[in-house]
Amino acid sequence: MKIKNIQDITLPPSGGMVIFVSGVTGQDGSHMVDYLLKNVPEATIIGGARRLSVDNHDNIVHLEHEPRFQLVNFDLTDSHSIYKLMEYAKPDYFINFAAQSFVASSWDFARQTWQTNSTSILDCLEAIKRLKPSCRFYNAGSSEEFGNVIVTPQNETHPPRPRSPYGASKAAARTLIKVYRESYGIYAVQGWLFNHEGPRRGKEFVTRKITTNVVRIKNEIDAALNSLPDGVASFDWKVTPIELGNIDACRDWSDAEDMVDAVWRMLNQEVYNSSHLGYATLTGGRFTPEWTKLYVGQGMVKDYVCSSDVNHSIRDFVTEAFKVAGIEGRWFINMKNEPLSERFVYVDGGIPVPDVVLVRINPQFYRPAEVETLRGDSSAIRKELGWNPKTNFNELVKKMVTSDLSQVKKV
């Protein structure tokens, strides 16, 4: 897909709505564009992505001939890029999904994580304040901000207790957003989005690591079984197992497509909040700078927790993914009960085959400080903004495994 420079954007006629989405080649950004094209037909949508020497546009290739979408060269870590975008496009909405979003890497790239996830948000807020104060800003928050939790489930009142540079960077960004919202009347929000996944999730994340490797193992097993003579049962074959870290870490998983609906509701709270219905009409229209400042200044704009309100362990995700692929497995500890000896083994006719290991534990994948359990309480956004996720855990795992199976078939 052709990527434009900011000055080459085609803007709508005066008064037309412009929505900018950064991180558009990622999971959330690409789903956000799809959602906006479907639900906000009057908007011109600009997607921002860094110009790279290697094309990584798989998540947006279906938008190549979409007339309402334009892809521009944008770098969140470059304040000049932010100011240039705000000065030229003057978007009505700035939805930021660009980030260093891999928690495990944040220990290795702590400074980069902070600059991308925290310092850049300060630059965004300053650009909005100076160039278009009525622009509504959303920044992707994370349940990792809660970190070493003191109560479960976690709602909007839980204090930040991050256990990674990533979590700390998101908590800092939230504080900046609150300061600018209260100081300058900017409509800026940051949702606590608990873990959300889907077929567009990067393969370096544990859920896609599991689903893509489940499909690989299925192909290896099928090939091994098909090579056996008829009537012969032999397990003189092996598969290359998936290697994971802490399989008992529990997360609250949702479908990424459900989450972008929550984001749009947070950006238009007066439309969806039943207690505020009619407020925009009474104050002269929701897109005027005066109205936005009044609405924000009265404390009516809030950050929300977005979650399924149910958590599952990585162990659960593994078991369900193999089940979807038609492979029966069982968690197995050897008789010596050695540390980290647990593994997920192949089951044939109800009998475990310990030599055919599907998943094993690798200490290399343990984090320096682990967040053991996260489970959200999204009752506030459900009650106040009418948001309800449509996809449950089992449906999400099935969706991801089925997608990865279909990709293999295409090849």
Side-chain angles (χ1 to χ4, degrees):
M1 179 178 293
K2 182 179 179 181
I3 186 166
K4 299 181 177 180
N5 292 317
I6 290 171
Q7 65 271 21
D8 297 325
I9 299 170
T10 302
L11 296 173
S14 179
M17 183 187 293
V18 176
I19 303 175
F20 177 71
V21 182
S22 62
V24 78
T25 58
Q27 171 187 253
D28 294 359
S30 61
H31 281 307
M32 191 80 245
V33 172
D34 290 343
Y35 178 90
L36 294 170
L37 288 170
K38 179 179 179 181
N39 294 285
V40 193
E42 70 274 23
T44 294
I45 301 160
I46 302 168
R50 287 179 300 165
R51 190 186 298 276
L52 300 173
S53 57
V54 178
D55 189 341
N56 68 335
H57 296 170
D58 290 352
N59 286 340
I60 57 171
V61 67
H62 62 288
L63 300 173
E64 186 168 4
H65 301 295
E66 170 54 57
R68 291 171 50 213
F69 174 75
Q70 299 171 75
L71 182 65
V72 300
N73 185 30
F74 177 80
D75 189 342
L76 189 67
T77 62
D78 183 349
S79 61
H80 176 72
S81 181
I82 296 169
Y83 273 77
K84 192 173 182 180
L85 171 87
M86 289 303 303
E87 185 175 33
Y88 185 78
K90 291 184 170 56
D92 298 288
Y93 294 87
F94 186 142
I95 305 175
N96 180 44
F97 286 119
Q100 194 299 96
S101 57
F102 195 38
V103 179
S105 291
S106 70
W107 278 277
D108 297 324
F109 304 101
R111 181 179 291 275
Q112 180 201 51
T113 299
W114 191 268
Q115 290 175 334
T116 306
N117 297 356
S118 305
T119 306
S120 62
I121 304 310
L122 179 62
D123 292 333
C124 290
L125 292 166
E126 274 291 313
I128 289 170
K129 182 190 75 172
R130 297 183 185 187
L131 298 171
K132 190 172 182 183
S134 63
C135 175
R136 298 190 175 198
F137 180 69
Y138 174 83
N139 187 53
S142 171
S143 57
E144 292 287 333
E145 297 172 49
F146 296 128
N148 189 20
V149 300
I150 56 177
V151 63
T152 296
Q154 297 84 48
N155 63 19
E156 292 81 0
T157 65
H158 193 290
R161 292 165 58 88
R163 299 203 77 194
S164 66
Y166 171 85
S169 70
K170 289 295 186 179
R174 178 178 305 282
T175 302
L176 286 169
I177 284 171
K178 183 174 184 293
V179 167
Y180 273 70
R181 187 166 68 211
E182 295 176 354
S183 299
Y184 303 110
I186 294 172
Y187 192 124
V189 291
Q190 178 166 309
W192 286 277
L193 270 59
F194 278 62
N195 292 62
H196 48 286
E197 313 296 329
R200 296 184 188 178
R201 175 60 96 183
K203 294 180 181 179
E204 70 273 20
F205 290 84
V206 68
T207 51
R208 275 304 300 290
K209 177 180 178 180
I210 292 169
T211 60
T212 55
N213 279 285
V214 163
V215 171
R216 172 186 57 76
I217 288 173
K218 175 178 172 55
N219 291 335
E220 291 180 10
I221 290 176
D222 289 346
L225 294 177
N226 290 337
S227 67
L228 295 174
D230 291 341
V232 175
S234 171
F235 294 100
D236 294 332
W237 46 269
K238 300 288 188 294
V239 298
T240 304
I242 309 171
E243 294 189 342
L244 298 172
N246 182 8
I247 59 172
D248 291 315
C250 290
R251 295 292 183 268
D252 183 327
W253 277 301
S254 297
D255 190 323
E257 291 188 73
D258 288 333
M259 289 299 196
V260 295
D261 176 52
V263 168
W264 188 244
R265 288 170 187 263
M266 278 188 274
L267 280 167
N268 297 277
Q269 292 179 30
E270 77 287 355
V271 175
Y272 294 100
N273 193 322
S274 58
S275 66
H276 299 163
L277 287 178
Y279 192 88
T281 302
L282 292 173
T283 52
R286 67 182 226 255
F287 286 113
T288 65
E290 296 79 14
W291 178 85
T292 298
K293 192 163 187 176
L294 176 63
Y295 191 83
V296 176
Q298 291 191 1
M300 294 182 178
V301 173
K302 301 191 298 185
D303 301 327
Y304 285 95
V305 163
C306 306
S307 57
S308 72
D309 300 356
V310 178
N311 63 2
H312 294 271
S313 65
I314 294 173
R315 180 196 301 269
D316 295 335
F317 199 104
V318 166
T319 304
E320 186 64 24
F322 275 105
K323 179 181 176 182
V324 172
I327 299 171
E328 186 180 358
R330 185 174 303 174
W331 291 100
F332 184 86
I333 301 178
N334 65 23
M335 297 301 292
K336 295 180 181 179
N337 200 24
E338 298 169 348
L340 305 178
S341 66
E342 188 172 13
R343 53 201 187 276
F344 192 68
V345 303
Y346 182 70
V347 171
D348 179 59
I351 301 173
V353 185
D355 288 338
V356 182
V357 180
L358 307 178
V359 181
R360 67 177 169 216
I361 310 302
N362 185 340
Q364 173 187 343
F365 296 112
Y366 275 73
R367 296 174 179 175
E370 181 63 88
V371 176
E372 294 293 341
T373 300
L374 290 171
R375 175 161 62 90
D377 172 8
S378 60
S379 57
I381 192 172
R382 295 181 190 227
K383 179 181 178 181
E384 296 174 15
L385 303 188
W387 176 73
N388 281 291
K390 299 175 182 178
T391 305
N392 65 31
F393 175 76
N394 288 349
E395 292 168 339
L396 172 62
V397 178
K398 181 178 181 180
K399 179 180 181 178
M400 295 176 69
V401 174
T402 302
S403 175
D404 284 329
L405 283 168
S406 68
Q407 293 303 312
V408 170
K409 290 177 182 178
K410 289 180 182 178
V411 176

